[in-house]
Amino acid sequence: MFKIFLSIIKRDFKLSYRQGNTNLNIIVFFFLSISLFPLGVGPENELLSKIGPGIVWVSALFSSVLSLDKIFQADYEDGSLEIINLSVIPLEFFVLAKALSYWLTTGLLLVILSPIFGLILSMSSKGILYLTITMLLGTPTLILIGTIGASLAVSLKRGSLLISLLILPLYIPVLIFGVSAIDASINNVSAKPQLLLLGSLLCFSIVLSPIASAAGLRINME
Amino acid sequence: MIDHENSIILENVSCDRGNRTVIKNLSLKISSGKSFTIKGQNGSGKSTFLRMLAGFQKSINGKILFKGKSIFSNQQEYQNKIFYLSENNPIKNTLSCYENLFFWAEIEGMENQLQTALEFQNLENYKNLPAKFLSMGQKRRLNLSRLAITQKKIWLLDEPINGLDKESVLKLCKVIEAHLANQGIVVIATHVDLNLETDTFYL
């Protein structure tokens, strides 16, 4: 079963590499949305470093929603999903494989780029370190939660708005703990509780999101 | 010899789809070793019938039994026995024929049969070609190549010969006959007569 899990990830990697536009769009959107803030609120370093964590997190949140509606859509439309459902791999593992490959091709890039954005927003080195750690813990959670909305809207042609409405409220805890961990580190207070909470949210979403998403996909396959 | 143990039995099955009763009080038996063909006009419910047999349609009345047990009693085990060929071709345009087929072979655990699968529908010469350059018929052939790498017992084929040339249809019939000779179950939804010994049901 693990072999099939890996082959789904490998195939999605190839597809993502050959249809690179979507991933590039996400990175460009992330970059543009962060770059626009200094233009809007002014270039004062003190202000930017104060609101920086919030800016990066909100931008990451919107970037991750941007193409989530496509995560299952191609497989749903060409019938691949039905064949996977008839295979030995449970649909829950398929969801997990899709979420992991989506994170590796988009979320991980956001994590790698986040220190650069931290610098653009004049964040301290400690703030940048915690920004990267929280993004590393938070972005997979965002994608896993997003798969629930994507699975429910998979049969809709333009499901991205519905997905946003469904999942943005569920993103709030991740956003709060992510930003709060960075603020704590900047203010020399321990960020351990927030990081532990982000870790628990990730664990919960690894367990629960595939179950909920697989149920959503099964409903749409009827 | 017909293996009754491996038959699919429908008892008073009705199925609604989109506020419309597509199948009403249907009772029949699909035996292994002999193909079963569903015929009917467009929209008569042929695809719904196959989807129902695949266990995708849960909102049905009546019973569908395999080996005497409801297909929903151990759905995962039942569905693992099913090869489903839908009207769509599960082919990714940016992957080559080989890569597309390799993925499905890995899902089936039959990577060693890949060459046989490509030869089955004469696709060896196109194996490195991205699927976006294939014609509709070639895409169908690529999809049908999955039959050569499956070991599943129940084949549900929805309009399998759409877009196929005569030679490909003959090859398909041969592979179906070989599967039936191994006591497999084959259910085909089609408009066209295939050169197969078959029980036919009109919806």
Side-chain angles (χ1 to χ4, degrees):
Chain A
M1 200 181 295
F2 187 65
K3 202 176 159 197
I4 300 177
F5 184 82
L6 285 181
S7 61
I8 293 167
I9 294 173
K10 265 194 301 185
R11 184 199 64 161
D12 277 18
F13 245 91
K14 277 185 198 162
L15 289 172
S16 167
Y17 174 71
R18 290 180 196 173
Q19 308 163 340
N21 290 347
T22 313
N23 298 347
L24 192 68
N25 288 347
I26 291 169
I27 305 303
V28 171
F29 177 84
F30 188 55
F31 178 76
L32 281 177
S33 51
I34 288 176
S35 312
L36 287 174
F37 274 94
L39 300 174
V41 297
E44 291 87 10
N45 284 354
E46 204 178 315
L47 176 67
L48 284 177
S49 65
K50 199 175 176 189
I51 61 170
I55 293 171
V56 178
W57 260 98
V58 171
S59 303
L61 200 139
F62 285 126
S63 304
S64 72
V65 177
L66 206 62
S67 67
L68 257 176
D69 60 320
K70 303 273 187 299
I71 192 167
F72 302 121
Q73 206 171 32
D75 287 327
Y76 173 80
E77 284 173 357
D78 69 15
S80 301
L81 200 57
E82 286 166 339
I83 301 170
I84 299 274
N85 193 31
L86 297 173
S87 74
V88 288
I89 188 168
L91 216 45
E92 288 78 4
F93 280 84
F94 169 73
V95 171
L96 207 55
K98 293 289 285 185
L100 182 58
S101 58
Y102 187 85
W103 179 76
L104 288 170
T105 52
T106 58
L108 188 60
L109 286 174
L110 299 185
V111 177
I112 293 167
L113 290 172
S114 57
I116 299 169
F117 298 120
L119 283 173
I120 291 174
L121 296 167
S122 307
M123 286 168 67
S124 65
S125 53
K126 205 173 178 189
I128 290 173
L129 174 69
Y130 276 85
L131 171 67
T132 313
I133 296 169
T134 54
M135 291 283 281
L136 196 61
L137 287 170
T139 47
T141 313
L142 296 180
I143 288 165
L144 281 161
I145 294 171
T147 60
I148 301 172
S151 70
L152 291 170
V154 72
S155 58
L156 304 174
K157 282 281 173 209
R158 293 177 191 276
S160 50
L161 182 65
L162 181 65
I163 292 172
S164 307
L165 292 173
L166 285 172
I167 61 172
L168 280 177
L170 301 174
Y171 280 176
I172 293 169
V174 186
L175 178 69
I176 289 171
F177 297 128
V179 175
S180 152
I182 303 165
D183 280 341
S185 74
I186 291 169
N187 297 319
N188 290 320
V189 180
S190 170
K192 200 177 167 187
Q194 290 92 331
L195 292 179
L196 286 173
L197 282 164
L198 277 176
S200 346
L201 284 173
L202 176 59
C203 294
F204 270 119
S205 49
I206 286 173
V207 176
L208 297 177
S209 296
I211 297 170
S213 305
L217 291 174
R218 284 195 190 98
I219 290 167
N220 275 298
M221 269 189 274
E222 261 205 53
Chain B
M1 193 181 78
I2 292 171
D3 180 3
H4 290 283
E5 272 292 294
N6 282 327
S7 54
I8 299 174
I9 297 168
L10 278 76
E11 289 180 0
N12 292 319
V13 173
S14 300
C15 179
D16 294 343
R17 199 156 161 79
N19 296 328
R20 186 172 72 98
T21 304
V22 182
I23 292 163
K24 201 172 179 184
N25 294 328
L26 186 64
S27 296
L28 53 85
K29 182 177 178 180
I30 301 166
S31 303
S32 61
K34 195 174 183 187
S35 74
F36 189 90
T37 304
I38 301 290
K39 288 193 168 181
Q41 294 174 328
N42 293 336
S44 58
K46 298 191 293 295
S47 297
T48 305
F49 180 81
L50 291 187
R51 294 180 63 77
M52 212 170 68
L53 289 186
F56 292 137
Q57 300 288 134
K58 294 207 178 72
S59 50
I60 58 165
N61 292 317
K63 284 180 189 169
I64 304 176
L65 309 169
F66 177 65
K67 289 186 175 179
K69 286 182 193 164
S70 166
I71 62 168
F72 299 112
S73 65
N74 192 345
Q75 198 177 348
Q76 181 82 39
E77 195 189 315
Y78 169 74
Q79 287 191 318
N80 287 346
K81 290 182 172 53
I82 289 178
F83 175 92
Y84 179 61
L85 185 106
S86 69
E87 286 172 298
N88 303 320
N89 296 316
I91 290 165
K92 305 295 178 196
N93 280 333
T94 50
L95 299 184
S96 68
C97 295
Y98 182 87
E99 287 168 330
N100 268 295
L101 210 51
F102 185 75
F103 175 70
W104 293 118
E106 279 190 313
I107 298 285
E108 292 269 348
M110 298 288 286
E111 299 95 308
N112 54 347
Q113 292 296 309
L114 214 59
Q115 193 55 35
T116 319
L118 285 164
E119 283 166 13
F120 165 50
Q121 288 289 333
N122 288 341
L123 289 165
E124 309 101 296
N125 295 336
Y126 305 102
K127 73 179 207 181
N128 295 318
L129 191 74
K132 65 182 167 192
F133 297 118
L134 298 178
S135 69
M136 196 188 89
Q138 285 173 320
K139 281 186 179 172
R140 197 63 176 163
R141 276 161 55 194
L142 180 59
N143 190 7
L144 280 171
S145 299
R146 294 195 296 119
L147 282 170
I149 48 171
T150 188
Q151 290 197 310
K152 298 196 171 190
K153 189 152 185 83
I154 305 166
W155 291 5
L156 307 176
L157 313 177
D158 198 352
E159 303 287 1
I161 60 167
N162 261 3
L164 288 191
D165 53 39
K166 218 172 182 176
E167 193 190 345
S168 306
V169 175
L170 283 173
K171 284 188 170 185
L172 172 67
C173 289
K174 272 187 185 167
V175 113
I176 290 174
E177 278 167 354
H179 183 62
L180 292 170
N182 286 328
Q183 296 303 308
I185 295 176
V186 180
V187 184
I188 308 167
T190 181
H191 287 99
V192 189
D193 281 323
L194 288 168
N195 194 15
L196 289 168
E197 192 189 335
T198 185
D199 289 330
T200 305
F201 185 83
Y202 290 88
L203 273 175

